[in-house]
Amino acid sequence: MGIGGIGGLYAIEATDGFADTLARGLWQEADEDPMVLARMSVLVPTRRAVRTLRESFLRLGNGRQMLLPALRPVGDIDDDEAGFSGLDGAAAAGDLPPAIPGLRRQLLLTQLVQRFLERKDSGTAIQAAGIDHAALLAGELASFLDQVHTEQVPYAGLADLAKERYASHWQEVLEFLSIATEFWPALLAEEGAVEAPLRHSALVDRLSARWAEQPPQDPVIVAGSTGSIPATARLMGAVLDLPLGAVVLPGLDRDADEVTWAAIGQDPGHAQHGLAHLLKSLGRDRSDVREWPSSGAGAVRSPRRRLIQETLRPAETTEAWRRLPEEHAELLSGGIDGLSMLACPGHHEEAETIALMLREALEDETRTAALVTPDRVLARRVKSALRRWDIEVDDSAGQPLSATGPMTFWLATAEMAATACAPVPLLAALKHPLAAGGMEVPRFRRRVRTLERSVLRGPRPAPGIEGLLNAVRDAYPEEEKQDALDWIGKLAPSVTHFSELLDSDATSLIDLLSAHNAVAETLAATNEETGDRRLWAGEAGEDAANFLGELVEAVRDFPPIEGRSYGAFLEALLVGRVHRPRYGTHPRLAILGPLEGRLQQFDLMVLGGLNEGTWPPDPGADPWMSRPMRAEFGLPSPERRIGLSAHDFQMAASAPQVVLTRAERVDGAPTVASRWWLRMETVLRALSLQDKIGRQVAAYPFWQQALDAPKKLEPVRPPAPCPPVKVRPRKFSVTEIETWVRDPYAIYAKRILGLKSLDEIDEDPGAADRGTMIHDSLDLFVREFPEELPPKALERLLEIGREQFAPAMLRPSVHAFWWPRFERIAEWVVTMDGPRRAALSRIWTERKGQIMLRGPLASVELTCKADRIERQADGSYVIVDYKTGAPPTDKQVRAGLSPQLPLEAMMLAMDGFAEIPAGAIGALEYWRLSGGEPAGERKPLKGTLEELIEEAEDGLLKLIEAFDDPVTPYRSRPAPEHAPRYSDYEHLARVKEWSAAGEV
């Protein structure tokens, strides 16, 4: 046909594959002459569409190099681009000011928002908050401004809204929006810049005027746009007025009857409403639209196309569904060829099943596949599931810049400094893959692990780098101490300086960014590579560096901020920033948003997340205006977004091989199927095809379950290790005897394997620590007053308690709960112990005992530390054990499950305590020191003490005899009903696995 044959208004059917069909038509119009093709200019909606069209030309040429038309996104008409068809874009721009950079704009709006919120007489319900909150509000305000400018609604309309018709809340919002009407234009003028949508609109108008005076000599084609943005619609009109201008519409329904088309024009939620509105604004009718050259033959009669049309029929005309079996059954029944619907139980199953479908498509080396979904959670899950097969898939939405390696490291170092090197943020920074501390990475990892075990587990050190260094001096192994002090000391200057700035009430953002960068680059450096080379390397590092460079430029005159808000402020500025990898993804797979999926087709297209509120999206509530206010102001209704989403669905669902999926539950909550899913089910029921639509994918859920099902394994049995007798322990404390009886495996793990549980990182003092502080307080008190109590005994005991609790008193839980309980315990002890001492001749506290017991193979040493031993006036002894928790019952003691006190009595009778003469036992008591109601309670053991002691000794000797037998195993919980309430070794013994299987 030649280059002169193109021009006018065209459409490409949804079933034809827009990009490939467009490329074929352009190639035909150029008579397959590369030089002619290269003279064309083609405008498509997005940068992704540019890439898609390039790939279509690549397929058209079978991979050969070829000259392409000038391909550009519609939004890229500015003076940085070459002109269209020989016209200079800079000349069209003329004296238009530049568009204000996005980050600079948000920061300037943040200042305006802050000033507004700080006004004492504002009277607004929007409360003043930190700089981070102001930045988030500025981002929302910027989105509102973009919408207003894009729709070209004048600000004057805000003042004309009838305030008396709206609630007071909206009037407060209108007052807040005065930022946009009163202050923002003047600030923009000072910047010598304009809003990007306004500049784009003005440039379109100027370019249209230049084209009217001097039409391009080469074809200009606008393809794939629905004209939802007014400036784009005007550009399309200007192109249509050119002698060689063409507009190619995606998926226009050219054969709907007039009644249906009229209903479409009144329904903003319909898939064709946007195109109907565009044709009206262009002054054209459907009869003016021609079929694009190279479109598929018989597209009008495509069963799939007719099925989708019926599914999306306007609500006013759905009575036509009653006539489907009689009029269209044969034609529409072919629409389900290659179309499947699959409802999955949950989000996880949906993602795993989709990943399985995409993976199966790769078995054919010529096949391509894509997931199209607006559900970002589903997209991330599918991307993660594909890594099972080492497949990295291209996700058109990219990933948040804040989630990339360099930026997570940047934010982690900010949190580390802001929290004065608190253990968890400190480890988050030190364990980041980019952290190296100026040494080889493996060596640095070893240093960090040692620091964690020695210093950061358990109660946190004192704040700051100096507190960390002091903790290293106190707790580190001597052979590693100096090395740790050296490498932490290298970080100290930059971290200390940054922390001081963060602790300031007013700090320059430039100073904060500079100090922050010094910390990040110092920590990222290795012994061979500088920190900046490691931190900003690669695509993600480049994007992070670009963001920070733009930020440094944008904050040049930003007022000082409170240092403590710096981290949250950074995160607020990162909202919406995206990193899109350009390399390293699979060439035949993709994850696309609905807009990106509109213009391209794959051999398999999975349309996922078809639930109401996701696809179509929930219009939600406008944070600034109610629906009546939007209508009166001139903004489009939220339903227009549903119509655009419906059009995207129509285009994607028209591919040859399509699977529609949804999750019946998301995060445990039931979901409602998308309106298009429900409509399609209704049409299929009318055609009696509902049982056929899922047959092609019926096996996938079973494959997915089989893929995730664990392999059949032998049932897990309780461990029963039998170590050689020579390695079995020959020394026990009396508290370990209870563990030995109830859970021998714990003795095996601790004493033979030498395993010890680690403290939690930044651990709050637990019950054991509380018991230790109470024991130590009572020990010091009794040692100071071993006979009579002083006149102010309670005051002295509380004073001793404060000294013992002091290291933990900064913890809110200790100050609020434990200390008041100790005060009540102290009062109870003094009240009870004063009269009691009159009958005592001596008290010993925290005394160690030791005896040797004969075993079949060798002697066994038994040790203890008795909390309190009292000698009564008659020479007999009372042994007391303090319990801050629940003491054992008499039944447990008599059964030998808790033999601690009887064994201590046995040791005293056998002269096992130095400086305490052997003697008879008068009583064995537990003192329950809970600090509750009651604060304390004496619980003497009942029964004949001689029998208790004899039974405890006999039980211990039998236990020694049993475990001196090499065939006796160290079982885990041999009697589950007597198992300990807590054990550090439950996970090692796999208790939950074998106990769930019914093993004993």
Side-chain angles (χ1 to χ4, degrees), residues 167-420:
S168 60
H169 166 70
W170 295 117
Q171 299 185 36
E172 293 171 356
V173 170
L174 288 175
E175 183 182 356
F176 180 78
L177 292 178
S178 65
I179 294 172
T181 59
E182 298 178 21
F183 306 106
W184 178 236
L187 196 54
L188 264 180
E190 290 179 13
E191 289 286 310
V194 295
E195 295 276 20
L198 290 178
R199 188 179 191 282
H200 176 71
S201 179
L203 188 54
V204 165
D205 293 339
R206 290 191 179 193
L207 191 57
S208 301
R210 289 177 62 83
W211 278 346
E213 296 174 2
Q214 185 183 352
Q217 300 303 307
D218 297 318
V220 178
I221 301 101
V222 179
S225 176
T226 60
S228 58
I229 297 174
T232 303
R234 294 201 308 278
L235 177 65
M236 296 166 80
V239 169
L240 281 177
D241 291 336
L242 298 177
L244 297 178
V247 171
V248 187
L249 302 178
L252 176 68
D253 185 355
R254 293 190 294 138
D255 61 340
D257 59 77
E258 292 304 321
V259 173
T260 300
W261 189 252
I264 288 173
Q266 300 301 316
D267 182 5
H270 193 275
Q272 293 289 311
H273 178 81
L275 292 172
H277 180 75
L278 174 63
L279 288 175
K280 184 177 180 181
S281 68
L282 294 175
R284 306 298 177 100
D285 191 75
R286 284 186 298 159
S287 59
D288 299 323
V289 182
R290 293 176 285 170
E291 186 176 314
W292 179 251
S294 81
S295 291
V300 173
R301 297 184 299 277
S302 167
R304 175 69 62 77
R305 178 173 177 271
R306 293 298 301 276
L307 177 62
I308 300 299
Q309 285 175 340
E310 286 297 334
T311 298
L312 301 178
R313 178 180 284 277
E316 293 85 347
T317 66
T318 51
E319 75 280 353
W321 287 345
R322 300 176 184 274
R323 301 188 296 273
L324 286 179
E326 295 81 11
E327 298 182 3
H328 304 290
E330 184 176 352
L331 175 63
L332 293 178
S333 62
I336 67 171
D337 293 340
L339 177 65
S340 303
M341 299 173 69
L342 181 62
C344 301
H347 226 188
H348 168 76
E349 291 82 2
E350 183 184 13
E352 293 287 337
T353 302
I354 292 172
L356 191 59
M357 292 177 183
L358 300 182
R359 175 62 184 87
E360 187 193 30
L362 297 181
E363 290 298 299
D364 184 342
E365 294 184 357
T366 64
R367 221 171 163 221
T368 59
L371 165 65
V372 181
T373 181
D375 187 341
R376 297 308 312 145
V377 175
L378 177 64
R380 287 195 296 270
R381 288 189 173 201
V382 172
K383 187 171 184 176
S384 177
L386 284 168
R387 293 194 179 108
R388 180 200 298 256
W389 299 287
D390 296 326
I391 295 173
E392 285 294 334
V393 63
D394 181 17
D395 184 353
S396 64
Q399 69 177 128
L401 181 61
S402 59
T404 61
M407 196 50 68
T408 55
F409 182 66
W410 183 269
L411 294 174
T413 52
E415 182 71 7
M416 174 190 73
T419 57

Side-chain angles (χ1 to χ4, degrees), residues 4 60 170 260 307 363 410 480 493 497 536 598 621 637 658 671 696 748 786 817 838 880 893 937:
L60 190 64
W170 295 117
T260 300
L307 177 62
E363 290 298 299
W410 183 269
E480 300 183 52
H497 175 58
W536 313 122
R598 178 200 300 170
S637 69
V658 176
T671 60
Q696 299 177 49
Y748 167 77
F817 298 104
V880 176
V893 176
E937 188 177 5

Side-chain angles (χ1 to χ4, degrees), residues 74 79 108 271 445 490 645 700 824:
V74 172
D79 50 0
L108 292 173
R445 297 283 180 269
K490 292 178 182 178
S645 184
Y700 282 98
R824 292 192 288 271

Side-chain angles (χ1 to χ4, degrees), residues 61-91:
N62 293 320
R64 300 189 307 270
Q65 292 182 347
M66 60 190 304
L67 294 174
L68 299 182
L71 305 177
R72 295 187 184 87
V74 172
D76 272 3
I77 306 174
D78 57 36
D79 50 0
D80 292 329
E81 297 285 345
F84 291 104
S85 302
L87 292 178
D88 188 1

Side-chain angles (χ1 to χ4, degrees), residues 66-190:
M66 60 190 304
L67 294 174
L68 299 182
L71 305 177
R72 295 187 184 87
V74 172
D76 272 3
I77 306 174
D78 57 36
D79 50 0
D80 292 329
E81 297 285 345
F84 291 104
S85 302
L87 292 178
D88 188 1
D95 57 352
L96 282 177
I100 186 169
L103 197 52
R104 175 68 176 171
R105 176 197 194 202
Q106 186 174 2
L107 288 169
L108 292 173
L109 285 172
T110 298
Q111 295 180 64
L112 291 178
V113 170
Q114 262 198 314
R115 293 170 194 164
F116 178 86
L117 296 180
E118 291 170 356
R119 279 178 12 194
K120 295 182 179 179
D121 59 343
S122 67
T124 179
I126 306 174
Q127 298 299 315
I131 188 70
D132 55 314
H133 180 64
L136 290 172
L137 273 177
E140 292 291 340
L141 182 58
S143 298
F144 173 76
L145 293 176
D146 283 341
Q147 190 174 17
V148 170
H149 297 320
T150 298
E151 299 297 335
Q152 297 184 339
V153 179
Y155 282 139
L158 284 174
D160 295 336
L161 291 176
K163 296 183 178 181
E164 66 278 1
R165 295 210 308 269
Y166 303 113
S168 60
H169 166 70
W170 295 117
Q171 299 185 36
E172 293 171 356
V173 170
L174 288 175
E175 183 182 356
F176 180 78
L177 292 178
S178 65
I179 294 172
T181 59
E182 298 178 21
F183 306 106
W184 178 236
L187 196 54
L188 264 180
E190 290 179 13

Side-chain angles (χ1 to χ4, degrees), residues 900-915:
Q900 177 182 348
L901 270 182
L903 289 177
E904 289 181 2
M906 177 194 74
M907 295 176 68
L908 182 57
M910 296 174 64
D911 203 18
F913 289 90
E915 301 179 3

Side-chain angles (χ1 to χ4, degrees), residues 556-721:
R556 58 184 182 272
D557 54 359
F558 201 84
I561 68 168
E562 185 181 22
R564 285 175 286 277
S565 64
Y566 169 74
F569 184 46
L570 264 184
E571 293 182 12
L573 295 178
L574 279 166
V575 171
R577 290 276 177 159
V578 176
H579 163 64
R580 292 183 175 89
R582 295 182 287 276
Y583 307 102
T585 57
H586 201 283
R588 293 190 285 126
L589 291 184
I591 296 177
L592 305 172
L595 177 60
E596 290 82 9
R598 178 200 300 170
L599 303 184
Q600 52 190 314
Q601 284 188 358
F602 292 73
D603 295 322
L604 169 66
M605 295 190 73
V606 182
L607 277 57
L610 280 165
N611 285 325
E612 201 68 15
T614 301
W615 201 0
D618 183 1
D622 189 322
W624 306 112
M625 291 185 174
S626 63
R627 286 174 178 264
M629 290 178 72
R630 287 178 62 90
E632 186 174 347
F633 183 47
L635 292 176
S637 69
E639 280 69 28
R640 189 181 72 166
R641 185 181 175 196
I642 293 178
L644 296 173
S645 184
H647 183 258
D648 295 335
F649 171 79
Q650 177 187 14
M651 296 292 290
S654 298
Q657 190 77 23
V658 176
V659 180
L660 311 180
T661 71
R662 62 175 292 260
E664 295 174 333
R665 301 181 76 87
V666 173
D667 295 332
T671 60
V672 177
S674 167
R675 63 193 68 184
W676 307 319
W677 181 288
L678 297 175
R679 279 169 158 262
M680 184 166 287
E681 285 184 331
T682 302
V683 171
L684 293 173
R685 278 196 298 270
L687 296 169
S688 300
L689 297 174
Q690 67 272 22
D691 295 331
K692 298 180 181 180
I693 192 68
R695 291 180 181 177
Q696 299 177 49
V697 294
Y700 282 98
F702 298 99
W703 294 343
Q704 180 265 321
Q705 292 176 17
L707 193 63
D708 287 340
K711 296 179 181 179
K712 188 175 181 180
L713 301 173
E714 290 295 323
V716 178
R717 300 187 182 280

